[in-house]
Amino acid sequence: MKFIIKLHPEITIKSKSVRRRMSKILQGNIRNVLRSLDENVKIRADWDKLVLRTSIEGEAHRQAMIESLSHIPGIQAFLEVLEVRVSTLDEILEHAQAMYGDKLAGKTFCVRCKRRGQQAFNSLDVERYVGGGLNQRCNTGGVRLKDPDLQVNLEIDEDRLYLISEQHPGLGGFPIATQESVLSLMSGGYDSGVASYQFIKRGSRVHYCFFNLGGSEHEAGVREVSHYLWKKYGSSHRVKFIAVPFEGVVTEILEKIDASHMGVVLKRMMMRAGAAVAQRLDVQALVTGESMGQVSSQTVTNLNVIDRVTDTLILRPLIAADKQDIIDQARHIGTASYAEKIPEYCGVISQKPTIKAKLGKVEAEEANFDFGVLETAIQASFVEDIRNLAEPRVLPTVEFKQQADELEVILDIRAPEEEEEAPLTVEGRQVVHMPFFRLAHQFAELDPRRTYLLYCARGVMSRLQAIHLKEQGFDNVKVYRP
């Protein structure tokens, strides 16, 4: 089984030395990806293509090869071919008839030839001779040079004829590791997945950084989509997944920062932490999925204030993209199904966030913040090899209840402003207010003999926190959904 691999056009216009370097890197990347399918795969680098041979036969192996090659950055297209030795036009015609004769029945067709080397004929001679011969020998619908039913593709390299049976589109872009590495700040939603994919396709090794705001289920979802992106598009190189525990940072923001500036300050803290992680990994740039005007923190004014917090380059490939276009691309690359399952974490978004933050005001607010909390989070960040994420994390199950029993306490975990606007009262049942950002430190102080039903407006935060508490060993917790 043989494939001819066409280089992405942007590679072919590079200087001779750069082109050879990129071609060699692509050759190594393909070998790394295909090693699990065929340890003895052979790849030869020619000036304008790579020629791949695998000795393993069978349709299952063929399909696995096609699937893998179609997702390797740097490949524009790849052709399934049969290679034979030829010296005359008659020999070319005989082989073309054997390959395509049955497929031409009743169909219009044309012959297209690409030729390299020294022969006694040119490409047009091949097209005319083979086209005429096939039309005479086979029961075709005639030759049609424009929009035929079937195009017979031939490639000749010196005395070798490549008969192309199938052509498949590649991913395009640059081979991974031909560009510098980046650190993608992953939320697990549509945007960060698409932004990460675009840098993989552009030739970067993409490491993944997740800021855990307090939900084990959220982290499990982000781990899953990060591993998917790496496995499908970037598995030629090892990368890292970094989880930064941000619960303490969230608590500090909610208790110390004016509500209108919480979103901007949170993003600034993430950029500080991301820059520190990037420096540790020797990575020069951060990647985010931010799109201008999508949410309050993504106005030009607010992004400007956010970027002032670090000298590290922040790249935003989706900055001018429409949301629907982002969602469509997420569906195309396969991350949309993961994004749809990611729980929305809404606890740090205030009711009336500013869209025009002033740097002086933000810095004044941050003067109230204990930066020791941020440093602790950075030091506690957990770095894993992306391959370790293959096995999904098994999360504890959480029971939902519509009514509280007599000995159960309803624990309202909404933010203080939410609770004040709409206090929760349940006739005949005790209701205790404990904001979600205090649960990690204060839940252990509650009576362990009682069972606590966590409540929030939409049930998302309460479920995340219940899972988090169960992972810490608290079994006396359920979710209240009246």
Side-chain angles (χ1 to χ4, degrees):
M1 192 182 303
K2 182 177 297 183
F3 297 90
I4 291 179
I5 296 170
K6 300 293 187 179
L7 306 178
H8 178 58
E10 284 190 68
I11 300 174
T12 64
I13 62 174
K14 299 292 184 184
S15 67
K16 183 181 293 186
S17 60
V18 172
R19 179 173 177 167
R20 283 177 175 166
R21 181 178 68 85
M22 286 190 169
S23 181
K24 185 175 181 179
I25 290 174
L26 178 58
Q27 188 177 1
N29 291 354
I30 294 171
R31 187 173 284 109
N32 288 342
V33 172
L34 299 184
R35 186 174 289 121
S36 62
L37 300 177
D38 181 1
E39 289 186 355
N40 300 312
V41 65
K42 306 295 183 183
I43 306 173
R44 187 184 80 240
D46 291 342
W47 174 243
D48 61 342
K49 63 181 179 293
L50 302 177
V51 179
L52 183 153
R53 290 182 176 86
T54 174
S55 59
I56 302 175
E57 299 295 334
E59 182 60 19
H61 180 67
R62 171 180 171 269
Q63 290 296 334
M65 294 286 287
I66 293 170
E67 171 69 14
S68 295
L69 288 171
S70 65
H71 296 118
I72 298 176
I75 298 176
Q76 183 66 13
F78 56 100
L79 319 172
E80 294 183 71
V81 299
L82 173 67
E83 180 185 338
V84 292
R85 299 277 181 172
V86 295
S87 59
T88 67
L89 290 173
D90 282 331
E91 289 176 334
I92 295 173
L93 174 57
E94 291 295 332
H95 288 297
Q97 182 180 355
M99 171 70 75
Y100 300 107
D102 293 340
K103 299 177 183 179
L104 291 172
K107 295 181 179 179
T108 61
F109 76 102
C110 71
V111 177
R112 292 287 181 255
C113 177
K114 291 184 178 180
R115 188 180 57 85
R116 181 185 177 194
Q118 298 296 321
Q119 296 90 17
F121 44 78
N122 60 34
S123 298
L124 188 57
D125 293 335
V126 175
E127 292 174 359
R128 287 173 174 170
Y129 192 88
V130 174
L134 291 175
N135 196 39
Q136 289 178 352
R137 298 182 180 190
C138 306
N139 185 26
T140 74
V143 174
R144 181 188 293 172
L145 299 181
K146 185 177 181 181
D147 297 325
D149 296 328
L150 181 66
Q151 181 169 300
V152 175
N153 295 303
L154 306 175
E155 289 205 14
I156 301 172
D157 188 348
E158 298 294 350
D159 63 344
R160 296 189 297 271
L161 169 65
Y162 298 106
L163 296 158
I164 302 168
S165 58
E166 296 285 347
Q167 180 167 328
H168 306 279
L171 194 64
F174 288 141
I176 293 177
T178 59
Q179 308 302 313
E180 291 89 345
S181 299
V182 298
L183 179 67
S184 180
L185 307 186
M186 288 289 291
S187 68
Y190 296 105
D191 306 336
S192 59
V194 171
S196 300
Y197 162 79
Q198 291 190 358
F199 273 89
I200 295 174
K201 182 179 176 182
R202 201 59 187 167
S204 290
R205 290 175 65 188
V206 177
H207 302 276
Y208 303 91
C209 182
F210 169 64
F211 298 102
N212 193 331
L213 305 181
S216 301
E217 186 179 33
H218 190 178
E219 180 176 345
V222 176
R223 290 166 64 93
E224 192 175 10
V225 69
S226 298
H227 184 268
Y228 168 84
L229 281 166
W230 169 79
K231 184 67 175 177
K232 186 151 191 171
Y233 302 105
S235 62
S236 60
H237 288 73
R238 297 180 184 179
V239 299
K240 303 296 185 183
F241 179 86
I242 304 93
V244 185
F246 242 50
E247 298 98 324
V249 175
V250 170
T251 301
E252 190 73 5
I253 289 174
L254 290 168
E255 293 185 338
K256 303 285 184 64
I257 304 300
D258 179 76
S260 63
H261 288 76
M262 287 179 180
V264 171
V265 170
L266 176 63
K267 286 293 183 68
R268 281 167 61 92
M269 297 300 170
M270 288 180 173
M271 296 307 171
R272 287 184 173 102
V277 171
Q279 184 177 21
R280 186 187 307 172
L281 298 177
D282 195 25
V283 172
Q284 299 181 46
L286 305 178
V287 172
T288 81
E290 291 163 318
S291 175
M292 186 168 61
Q294 191 175 122
V295 296
S296 61
S297 65
Q298 295 175 20
T299 62
V300 171
T301 299
N302 286 355
L303 290 174
N304 182 33
V305 170
I306 291 167
D307 286 4
R308 299 292 187 92
V309 82
T310 179
D311 292 331
T312 303
L313 178 63
I314 301 173
L315 301 170
R316 297 183 172 94
L318 310 182
I319 192 64
D322 293 336
K323 186 66 176 183
Q324 188 57 52
D325 292 338
I326 296 171
I327 294 173
D328 290 344
Q329 187 167 18
R331 291 193 176 119
H332 175 70
I333 66 176
T335 58
S337 59
Y338 296 94
E340 289 160 1
K341 296 185 294 185
I342 294 290
E344 181 183 357
Y345 189 93
C346 53
V348 191
I349 306 302
S350 61
Q351 299 294 325
K352 297 180 180 180
T354 181
I355 59 172
K356 290 189 176 182
K358 297 186 182 300
L359 182 60
K361 172 63 174 174
V362 171
E363 290 176 340
E365 288 293 325
E366 288 183 345
N368 301 317
F369 186 92
D370 180 2
F371 280 88
V373 175
L374 178 64
E375 184 60 30
T376 298
I378 294 171
Q379 294 301 320
S381 58
F382 186 66
V383 181
E384 290 184 80
D385 189 310
I386 194 74
R387 294 172 298 174
N388 296 341
L389 277 57
E391 294 297 326
R393 297 176 71 178
V394 179
L395 299 174
T397 57
V398 176
E399 182 181 346
F400 286 74
K401 297 200 66 175
Q402 292 182 315
Q403 294 181 337
D405 295 337
E406 185 176 350
L407 297 178
E408 293 175 333
V409 177
I410 299 173
L411 206 59
D412 186 347
I413 67 168
R414 293 176 296 168
E417 57 269 23
E418 286 187 82
E419 193 273 336
E420 290 173 5
E421 288 185 9
L424 176 66
T425 57
V426 180
E427 185 176 354
R429 294 293 178 264
Q430 182 183 7
V431 178
V432 175
H433 181 238
M434 181 180 290
F436 69 93
F437 53 86
R438 293 201 181 108
L439 278 178
H441 303 292
Q442 297 184 5
F443 189 84
E445 300 173 5
L446 299 175
D447 186 350
R449 296 169 297 181
R450 306 291 294 273
T451 297
Y452 298 89
L453 310 185
L454 307 190
Y455 169 79
C456 69
R458 288 182 288 179
V460 176
M461 182 70 71
S462 53
R463 183 168 180 267
L464 292 176
Q465 293 297 329
I467 291 173
H468 192 53
L469 290 170
K470 277 183 167 289
E471 284 192 323
Q472 292 179 326
F474 297 103
D475 292 326
N476 57 334
V477 58
K478 299 176 183 178
V479 173
Y480 181 58
R481 292 291 290 160

